[in-house]
Amino acid sequence: MTTSQSCPQYPRTVSNYDAIVIGAGHNGLTNAAYLAKSGLKVLVVERNPYIGGATVSRQLHENWTYSNCSYVCSLLRPEIYRSLNLAKYGLQVVPYGGSVSMHSNGDYLGGYVDADVKRREMMRHSPKDAAAYARYSRDIMRQCKIIRPFLMRTPADPTSLKPRNVLELIKLMQDVGNIPERVLHDTIRFYSLSIADYLNEYFENDFIKAAFAGSGIIGTAMGVMSPGTAYVLLHHAMGDVDGNMGAWGFARGGMGAISRAMADCLVDHGGEIKTGHGVGQIIVDNGKATGVALNNGDEFYADTIVSNLDFKRTFLDIIEEKELPSDFVKRAKNFKIRGSSGKLNIALDGLPHFPALGDDHPLMSGDMHFIDTVEQLEMAYDDWKAGQWSQNPYIDLLIPTMTDPTMAPPGKHYMSVFVQYAPPKLKGKDWTDADRDAFGQKVIDKIARYSPNFKDLILHAEVRTPREIENEVGLTEGNIFQGELSMDQLFFNRPIPGYAQYRAPIRGLYMCGSSNHPGGGVMAAPGANAAREILRDLKRENTVPAGWVDD
Amino acid sequence: MYDAIIIGAGHNGLVCAAYLAKAGRKVLVLEANDRVGGAAITRSFGTGFKVSAGAHLINLLDPVVIDELKLESHGLDLGQKTLKTVSLSHKGQHLVIDGDQLTGQVSDEDRSAFADYKAQMTRFSRLLNKLHLRPPPRLKPGRLSDYLDLLRVGAGLRRLGQRDMRDFLRIAGINIYDVLEEHFDNELLKGALAFDAVLGNHLGPRSNGSVLNALHRSSGRINDDNGTFASPPGGVGAVSEALAKAAVALGAKIRTGAPVEQLMFNGDTACGVRLQSGEQIEAETVVSNADPKRTFLDLVGARHLEAEFAQSIHRTRCSGNVAKLHLGLKSLPRFTELDPTLAGERLLIAPSADYLDLAFNQAKYGHCSDHPAMEITIPSVADPSLADEGHHVLSAIVQYAPYRLKGGWEHAHEPFKKTLIDQLDQYAPGLSLQVISSELLTPADIEAEFGITGGHWHHGEMTLDQAFMLRPAPGAGRYATPIDGLYLCGAGSHPGGGVMGLAGRNAAQTVLSGGKT
């Protein structure tokens, strides 16, 4: 920033593009690919020496590939996968099998893929809950079907009388008109209840409830008893793998395979990617964004500038405050983007033994959780509120190499451990390396209680707290969704009211990150939706598919 | 034979009776207790003390009801003035909130931010009040009137103007903690405002939905002022008596000491009630002021209900989280550094939003708060008739005290009362030595005394999943129920809890128009 400000008349490079996308995360790449597909000359600039943002594979230990941020794939919109032809660029999503929750008393609850086996397993814990599960999964599926068509649509501004907004609202009313009143009532309840209360309506067994409740808090700074977390569960259920709704899979070769395929698609359509230098400033001239100044002094110009950075980073870090309406700046400062998660990536010398499961158990290839009660999950959140990492954290553990052996040498394994909660600051102070290590040790000790030989197998462990996530990926406060998924920041309120249509209050500047509708997760919908809006403003043919309704 | 029987002479039952009688219907109100008012009564405790047993202030009683039922001519008196709110600090640096004015150690920024905040919240709650005056709209319109209802809601939102409408749609569904952080620095102020957002519910300041509760609570007007409180002479029971007088004057009949055991059916249609005494009384219409669970699961019986509806009543969240403390005192307590002229105002112990949050943390796990929040009134300051000469009565609403207390209330009752008195002693040193009589009503006691399931003051949580057409449950959200001839008129229906009278009024209108679900 300083370089460009001190000698603006002597930039080292001046090149002209039609569009510049800031940040090569999956949304930035998707956005760029669609713009390039329509014939625009597109440049993507990325701060890190590698692309992908949080959709990345990295070799941090020799011969091991880590999906070191995001780690599983389900939300990636199938219409994007198909229209960008990501299969052609090498992306293969492999579904994995089920989940398991281990109880501290040595028992477990297996979430088998086979519906009949799953029912019998639930019967073992509670026959009543096994019966309730049919109603539960039906109701979740209904809500998924309601929301899915909206993912690839630009939200209407209900406060605007512009024809486009009014028409979109009318369409919304018509869609709602097709939904039975009873299901609409459920929808309101679903969006306002806590995941704990929602599960209480179906289930009685605390272990079963605890096993299901985790999906309501992943990535969010709320607890299982916080109203609004039932929706977060939806966010983890509305995706699919190969049309199988609610299924999750691995991108073969790690999550980086997704961004690599997107980047290859972009380059195939004439796009360019420059890595290694971040944007210090968005250049604004007479109220119009005209280019970007990189931290190394390079400047590039284009009529369209798109930011894949989160809402705060875009408007509080790389745009001068004077270019923005003061109310907008205030709202940007109040944008809720609180980090709540950490991550461990571990290289293992062999497969850990979990006595609860025995050897060669099929659920070893699914999500593993270690939890007894819903209250334990809520207590983990109380620690976050108090500014400390959870003493008994929620863990979502996977061994991707069970499904995708390419990520580690033969016979060795890679373990991905998602951890909640970890606050962005510790009682108001920044994380230190010692804090990070103590946090990592807490997690390792917890896993070791369920797997006696686990510690002996560890060859390398990368510990990521919100500090690492913020510093490496650039996500403010380390929030993995680029902003909390609560009602004040969803749909037409995301990121803030009046700006949910991907346009910034500066002409020529757009937003395409997960801070925008429909939010976080490796979905690519914000990037695609933003591209559609840009092409609309440029009066070019639309290359972005609208909602593809398969349901 | 009566045109309508109303089960329960709580304030909503009385309002409903009055409106029905006013329209010429022959109405009988049946009350289980020996007196009218339900939880809105004034009664004795200890030696010579009188206190409002449930709600102890009036803030929501709707002016429309007061007007239409001419309650003032039947003796309604809300007192000489409305109360200020004092957010107590145990160090003595209290904050006084009077309308949109703040007095105390508070920055100019907070002062002006508060005036703006209060003005905007008032605009929002007036919109809510308009919705309160009618049955909630249907989500899926069937008739023209349903479309008009929805249009009216849309038009009300639009009339806020774009800026307010955006703000409303942003904050209505979220939590008060985040909203207050955006506006203020002063902890006592944030504590007081957060308290109003969680009062009466199983909500902490960080719980989404608390803003909606705050708006609900400020939707009432007294002397055309939103968010103020009145302390009626004679206690809240005097309000119920005025309501009963109005109902009787309009021709309704009230029988106390007449607990209803069961609804009577003619086929699938409700046709009257059977009292616990065995007496059977027939009526064209039965209106229940009892809470939804008691109405449907006890008085009706699940066997008369469709399974899914019974299930949704069963899952209604109505576990109370509020206790009530009554103290008979030898003399007026002296709160540290508090101007004695403020002793009769509304005093809050909620020194910060975080304080409330920590108090709520314990309630989540089924424990009482170690350091609870309180709304304290000393009504004997303005109305000496409530205590013997020189004595005073202190009434405090206490949060949190969960109905489903781990280990049960039996052994926790006395220790919790001691916790409360000790806490008061910290703010008013020496208070504990002045106590002559004391009484604690836990949610379990409230359930036993007033017949409210779960001891929940509002007959059910006041949250979005149980609001508007979903209150108390889908299928019974517009006063009519799946049982022909049975209607609801209590706080378990829209617009919900507080001494408002609007549920009773809307229910009467639905009955009169022959409304269906």
Side-chain angles (χ1 to χ4, degrees), chain B residues 299-314:
Chain B
L299 301 178
V300 173
R303 70 199 153 92
H304 289 284
L305 301 170
E306 186 237 337
E308 196 144 7
F309 180 74
Q311 166 77 9
S312 67
I313 291 295
H314 194 72

Side-chain angles (χ1 to χ4, degrees), chain A residues 157 181-182 331 378 382, chain B residues 138 166-167 308 364-365:
Chain A
D157 181 352
E181 192 167 24
R182 221 177 52 72
R331 286 182 186 274
E378 182 68 16
D382 289 346
Chain B
R138 283 189 62 173
R166 280 181 175 164
D167 278 344
E308 196 144 7
K364 292 191 296 190
Y365 308 112

